[in-house]
Amino acid sequence: MNIMEIFDTMEYGPAPEAANLGLAWIAEHQPFGLFINNKWVKPASKQYIESINPSTSKPLARVAAANSEDVDKAVKAARTAFESWGKTPGHVRARYMYAIARHIQKHARLLAVLESLDNGKTIRETRDIDIPLVARHFYYYAGWAQLMEQEMPGFAPVGVVGQIIPWNFPLLMLAWKIAPALAMGNTVVLKPARYTSLTALKFAEIMQEVGLPPGVVNIVTGEASQVGEALVRHPDVNKIAFTGSTDVGRSIRRATAGSGKKLSLELGGKSPFIVFDDADLDSVVEGVVDAIWFNQGQVCCAGSRLLMQENIAERLVAKLRVRMEHLRIGDSLDKGVDIGAIVSPGQLKEIQRLVNQGVEEGAQMWQPSWACPTEGYFFPPTLFTNVSPATTIAQVEIFGPVLVAMTFRTPEEAVALANNTRFGLAASVWSDNTNLALDIAPRIKAGSVWINCTNLFDASSGFGGYRESGFGREGGKEGLYEYAQPVWEARMKQEFHIAENSGNGAAASKSSADGRAMAAQQEAGEEEHKDDAGENDGMSAYRDALPAIDRTPKMFIGGKQARPDSGYSREVYDRQGRAIGQVGEGNRKDIRNAVEAAHAACGWASGAAHTRAQILYYIAENLSAREDEFARRIVQQTGVSHADAAREARASISRLFSYAAWADKYEGVVHRPPLRGAVLALPEPIDVIGMACPDEFPLLGFISLVAPAIAMGNTIVVIPSPQSPLSATDCYQVLETSDVPAGVVNIVTGHRDTLSQVLADHDDVDSMWYFGPLEGCRRVELASAGNMKRTWVSYGHTRDWLDTVQGEGQEFLRESTQVKNIWIPYGE
Ligand code: NDP
């Protein structure tokens, strides 16, 4: 092409990044071994898988195909390393992590080239986004390692962590997982995605360079069925952190149910990109490019649903088509291309299949006139219009460069359309009216909301989903709690483990409260005796002659006392086996009514925190007026001494005060990531929480769960302790007289496990708390996989609810909230 012709077309020439150093590094190392205990070891299977360059479809490298034997070896190495790494001072961990960050920067170009070769993503993105963010994560979390002892007193590492990452951001996902894990003192076994292991293996080499102690980080490559599943099921892994598809996330939830493994899942999305008619449309067009054509649309939070206000739709679509016509597609190492290759032929086929389905379903497809390269796995940027919200392409994660556009008329319609998905990972809102954008952001069910921007990430700001996009957060301080546990909990698990191994499991699981109850029974008997003596006057003789007025509590649903649907009652017994009352036998229908009532009370979340605080104080005030009566009820049900029961009643009042105090103080933070702007990290209620109360401390256990949940704006359906439900049913009148709006607290008595199962299965329940036997915990976790609801279960352990460290505080507030990060860039 001569200069005149270049001036005519204004076409960019090729600007290839040199691949030679990356290819030389691959040649020098392959076939790649597994990285276990800081050594390269051959896989037990002696098998290798091939890594392909998606831009050329040619083989790139041979990578070890591990199996469960290798996984076991890696977990053992991590366990041994944990003994010392878990006790290493934060400053020492910070030094290692600082060194890792520095070494990533030193090898930045090699890492960027390897990532582009292996994944097919453009060098522009790996060089300017992925790798700098990887370094940033290690710097940021080096800081938390340094600060852990001061800022998180009372927290310990979780132990050995199994981490499973996808292929779309191979090294960045590794950093999101490994950096917070190491900062908190955990050791790691990481499985990269089968298609993209190379940068993880270069990272392993960096671990050797910085002299990280052996076994702290282990990298095990191979297939999901051999490595991923073995890691998930390994009994000596304490936590699984997974990023990938919702289907696999669901299967991991099921596989780990009842195992006591901590779990965080970052899953799929179908994120809305909402454009109001006052937005700057040229900026919007560039935003759309970054939302859906960044990384070929293989981004969990890709803005894949374009929602346009009706009056600008035509203009915006026309502008978009012009821009799409000018996008450049090609070899990932070409610095001038906008769109690289799709990761694999399988993924390419799946995108094509969904696009065909979109056409069959009647949507109108548009692609630019230019052709994709014929070598490699390429798919052109694609725009669908005339899309109906219920069609497959509007609902399913396509995970490719495919945008589906729909229209709305009013902000209310925009919110309804945005939330019309089972996912909830991210959203973008475009408007020049900040008031409107900031009004819309909290109404969208998503973990990240970008205002007039999209796909921004930073280590300081948490990332993670609502609904079927998973649970748990990566990034920010909230990300640390995924890799840490309260010291008392770690100690309790350790004691339980020792007792179980010494054959004393039954003793280990015995509730401390049960012990308390038994020890106090004698004392209680004596006190009862004393009370009788004190009341031996004429009046009490008259009272004794009258039969007691029957009090049979019903269900408490939607602010009303409702008869149980079954028409059955269940007997309540004291510790001597004497019948002391009856409560309704709740069933599936009662739970469904309660969930409906809880949803109808959603205005509770948007009300002022000050009001919620006032109502909690009011509940405390009304409870305190009947403190003695509540204490007597505790004695009657549990047989503890009157003194202990009085202590429990008083602690319940104090607990209500605590959460009244927190209601307007657990407010979130403002992050200042490296951009001109701010990120508001707001703890939002989870919505409807189902909860099964513990048997120990019938009043305090109930209040300790109810109070934080409603303080944070959730509405709840509570199953009181089946053994001692009367303390909870006695609260009906307290709730009725304390201005608690109808439907905020719903109480259904009955069989704990039967009712919990209905709640855990229910698609309109967003989180389930269960404090009861291990088998019940397992069932709840298993059932929760249906809509991927969050769970918080006790694994059959009991806690000392009187203790303010175990029984109240920020752990309860974290379980009651999910953090939404709202990104607000500013400046011209
Ligand atoms: P997967 O969810 O299958 O894979 C993600 C990771 O999990 C990989 O390391 C994979 O290993 C591993 N894995 C797969 N099955 C299991 C299992 N049963 N137990 C343990 N680990 C397992 O995603 P795919 O790569 O198959 O992509 C399919 C779809 O998933 C995409 O089209 C997209 O919709 C979605 N996806 C979402 C991502 C996100 O960031 N939210 C990322 C990637 C995909 P291996 O590579 O060996 O199969």
Side-chain angles (χ1 to χ4, degrees):
M1 190 180 271
N2 64 35
I3 292 178
M4 276 312 287
E5 282 166 346
I6 292 174
F7 270 111
D8 268 352
T9 64
M10 289 302 279
E11 252 301 312
Y12 289 98
E17 171 78 29
N20 51 347
L21 286 181
L23 294 173
W25 182 82
I26 293 171
E28 197 183 307
H29 289 75
Q30 75 168 336
F32 286 88
L34 305 168
F35 186 71
I36 299 176
N37 243 338
N38 275 19
K39 292 199 191 74
W40 294 101
V41 299
K42 291 205 166 79
S45 67
K46 302 196 177 58
Q47 304 286 312
Y48 292 84
I49 44 178
E50 215 157 51
S51 201
I52 305 284
N53 177 349
S55 297
T56 61
S57 65
K58 303 245 163 60
L60 188 62
R62 288 175 68 225
V63 175
N67 63 19
S68 57
E69 207 180 302
D70 303 299
V71 169
D72 193 46
K73 206 183 291 171
V75 171
K76 283 201 173 93
R79 175 59 59 196
T80 307
F82 178 67
E83 294 307 317
S84 46
W85 180 254
K87 299 186 191 98
T88 304
H91 174 61
V92 177
R93 295 201 305 278
R95 282 179 177 231
Y96 281 115
M97 295 185 67
Y98 177 70
I100 295 171
R102 302 282 283 188
H103 280 246
I104 283 169
Q105 287 181 317
K106 282 190 242 184
H107 296 295
R109 198 48 84 106
L110 176 59
L111 288 165
V113 169
L114 288 175
E115 201 76 303
S116 288
L117 285 171
D118 206 16
N119 168 281
K121 55 167 64 193
T122 67
I123 186 78
R124 240 167 11 107
E125 288 174 11
T126 59
R127 183 195 59 199
D128 299 343
I129 299 172
D130 293 54
I131 309 304
L133 268 177
V134 170
R136 160 88 178 132
H137 269 76
F138 280 97
Y139 282 126
Y140 177 81
Y141 281 108
W144 279 120
Q146 174 74 22
L147 296 176
M148 182 181 180
E149 282 130 29
Q150 297 98 302
E151 289 299 308
M152 298 174 73
F155 276 87
V158 171
V160 174
V161 180
Q163 305 185 317
I164 300 172
I165 56 171
W167 41 260
N168 53 347
F169 293 89
L171 193 63
L172 186 57
M173 288 301 104
L174 173 150
W176 279 25
K177 299 236 166 349
I178 291 187
L182 298 193
M184 295 292 98
N186 303 277
T187 56
V188 165
V189 178
L190 177 127
K191 179 212 169 317
R194 155 184 47 140
Y195 302 129
T196 53
S197 302
L198 294 184
T199 46
L201 295 166
K202 176 63 202 168
F203 180 81
E205 207 174 65
I206 290 176
M207 298 302 95
Q208 286 178 320
E209 271 175 21
V210 302
L212 194 73
V216 172
V217 169
N218 305 276
I219 311 277
V220 184
T221 54
E223 306 265 354
S225 60
Q226 294 295 315
V227 183
E229 288 184 19
L231 199 50
V232 166
R233 291 182 189 279
H234 199 291
D236 205 24
V237 168
N238 304 101
K239 176 192 162 77
I240 294 289
F242 170 81
T243 299
S245 60
T246 295
D247 285 349
V248 173
R250 188 171 280 125
S251 79
I252 292 177
R253 166 70 293 177
R254 290 189 176 125
T256 54
S259 66
K261 286 189 178 85
K262 234 173 132 74
L263 184 61
S264 48
L265 299 173
E266 200 267 274
L267 309 175
K270 190 78 183 174
S271 300
F273 187 106
I274 308 165
V275 186
F276 287 98
D277 60 4
D278 59 354
D280 168 15
L281 292 194
D282 292 321
S283 304
V284 166
V285 169
E286 291 316 306
V288 171
V289 171
D290 289 341
I292 187 65
W293 293 308
F294 167 57
N295 205 24
Q296 297 68 254
Q298 302 167 129
V299 183
C300 49
C301 50
S304 51
R305 285 187 298 146
L306 174 63
L307 312 183
M308 307 170 286
Q309 199 149 20
E310 203 173 65
N311 51 336
I312 47 133
E314 216 170 294
R315 250 188 321 137
L316 180 54
V317 167
K319 276 177 180 280
L320 264 176
R321 288 181 177 168
V322 172
R323 183 69 177 93
M324 288 166 76
E325 198 61 53
H326 288 91
L327 288 170
R328 301 184 81 239
I329 196 165
D331 186 337
S332 61
L333 285 185
D334 186 337
K335 287 176 235 170
V337 305
D338 301 300
I339 301 180
I342 301 297
V343 74
S344 71
Q347 189 65 23
L348 186 64
K349 213 164 131 196
E350 180 61 6
I351 297 169
Q352 186 63 66
R353 185 186 72 77
L354 286 163
V355 165
N356 293 346
Q357 188 160 348
V359 174
E360 277 162 28
E361 284 175 349
Q364 192 182 343
M365 189 199 66
W366 191 89
Q367 290 173 334
S369 61
W370 43 260
C372 286
T374 47
E375 201 188 36
Y377 317 128
F378 291 93
F379 198 88
T382 302
L383 172 66
F384 274 105
T385 48
N386 195 25
V387 177
S388 139
T391 51
T392 310
I393 53 167
Q395 291 294 330
V396 165
E397 182 179 46
I398 299 176
F399 226 62
V402 182
L403 180 65
V404 298
M406 288 167 269
T407 57
F408 64 87
R409 286 189 183 167
T410 62
E412 275 58 40
E413 236 178 83
V415 170
L417 211 51
N419 288 334
N420 178 25
T421 166
R422 62 196 173 103
F423 299 112
L425 201 50
S428 291
V429 181
W430 292 75
S431 167
D432 269 4
N433 177 350
T434 321
N435 290 347
L436 174 65
L438 287 176
D439 179 43
I440 296 293
R443 293 160 65 189
I444 295 176
K445 307 269 181 224
S448 296
V449 179
W450 293 291
I451 293 182
N452 293 328
C453 59
T454 191
N455 275 340
L456 295 181
F457 312 99
D458 183 57
S460 66
S461 306
F463 184 85
Y466 285 27
R467 300 171 161 180
E468 291 189 33
S469 291
F471 44 77
R473 289 291 181 270
E474 296 187 297
K477 190 172 182 190
E478 58 265 39
L480 296 175
Y481 293 104
E482 303 296 333
Y483 292 98
Q485 60 182 335
V487 170
W488 69 264
E489 206 176 300
R491 207 174 292 136
M492 180 186 67
K493 284 182 195 161
Q494 179 94 14
E495 282 163 11
F496 183 79
H497 188 69
I498 293 167
E500 272 229 314
N501 288 346
S502 65
N504 197 13
S509 64
K510 198 97 192 107
S511 139
S512 61
D514 280 355
R516 182 193 74 159
M518 274 149 57
Q521 259 174 24
Q522 200 177 350
E523 194 191 332
E526 282 162 14
E527 285 206 9
E528 218 171 87
H529 221 70
K530 259 189 265 161
D531 286 353
D532 287 352
E535 285 193 9
N536 195 8
D537 52 18
M539 191 59 193
S540 71
Y542 171 68
R543 269 203 308 264
D544 289 347
L546 282 174
I549 296 177
D550 182 69
R551 262 178 81 191
T552 301
K554 302 171 187 158
M555 307 293 158
F556 189 65
I557 297 177
K560 295 199 180 77
Q561 298 197 30
R563 277 182 213 295
D565 171 73
S566 68
Y568 288 107
S569 296
R570 59 167 32 219
E571 208 74 45
V572 181
Y573 299 97
D574 70 7
R575 291 295 163 104
Q576 270 81 41
R578 292 176 302 218
I580 52 171
Q582 287 173 330
V583 291
E585 185 71 83
N587 68 9
R588 173 175 293 269
K589 180 94 190 304
D590 299 309
I591 290 282
R592 283 149 82 123
N593 291 342
V595 172
E596 207 177 311
H599 271 288
C602 58
W604 179 246
S606 48
H610 170 76
T611 310
R612 293 199 294 273
Q614 293 304 301
I615 289 175
L616 281 155
Y617 282 126
Y618 201 12
I619 299 173
E621 183 186 325
N622 286 328
L623 192 59
S624 114
R626 293 168 53 190
E627 189 176 329
D628 196 49
E629 178 196 329
F630 272 90
R632 283 204 305 275
R633 184 64 108 180
I634 294 167
V635 174
Q636 184 193 28
Q637 293 174 105
T638 64
V640 298
S641 71
H642 192 84
D644 272 353
R647 203 170 302 128
E648 181 177 338
R650 229 168 298 127
S652 303
I653 294 163
S654 163
R655 197 134 298 168
L656 285 160
F657 261 62
S658 289
Y659 292 111
W662 274 118
D664 55 5
K665 293 173 191 64
Y666 194 71
E667 295 177 298
V669 287
V670 177
H671 297 301
R672 304 300 305 271
L675 91 151
R676 285 179 71 197
V679 179
L680 311 180
L682 303 178
E684 292 192 337
I686 295 169
D687 280 357
V688 174
I689 303 181
M691 43 182 76
C693 297
D695 281 328
E696 65 273 13
F697 297 97
L699 179 64
L700 184 59
F702 170 80
I703 294 291
S704 299
L705 299 183
V706 168
I710 64 171
M712 293 297 104
N714 299 283
T715 57
I716 59 176
V717 178
V718 196
I719 308 163
S721 150
Q723 209 174 78
S724 314
L726 300 175
S727 294
T729 57
D730 285 353
C731 286
Y732 293 176
Q733 283 162 355
V734 173
L735 296 170
E736 281 166 343
T737 52
S738 303
D739 292 347
V740 180
V744 170
V745 178
N746 304 278
I747 302 173
V748 179
T749 51
H751 190 266
R752 176 169 41 214
D753 285 356
T754 310
L755 300 178
S756 294
Q757 182 78 39
V758 182
L759 278 171
D761 278 331
H762 203 302
D763 277 352
D764 270 344
V765 173
D766 305 283
S767 178
M768 179 69 201
W769 300 358
Y770 180 97
F771 289 79
L774 179 59
E775 176 54 20
C777 299
R778 192 188 68 79
R779 282 155 166 266
V780 161
E781 288 191 334
L782 203 58
S784 72
N787 70 342
M788 296 306 293
K789 61 173 67 67
R790 275 171 62 161
T791 54
W792 184 28
V793 304
S794 63
Y795 296 114
H797 299 300
T798 55
R799 51 174 84 205
D800 181 356
W801 293 95
L802 275 173
D803 177 6
T804 48
V805 175
Q806 295 188 24
E808 72 173 62
Q810 297 211 16
E811 183 188 6
F812 290 75
L813 297 168
R814 275 196 299 276
E815 291 294 344
S816 302
T817 51
Q818 47 196 347
V819 178
K820 172 180 281 175
N821 281 274
I822 302 177
W823 291 67
I824 312 170
Y826 46 71
E828 285 299 314

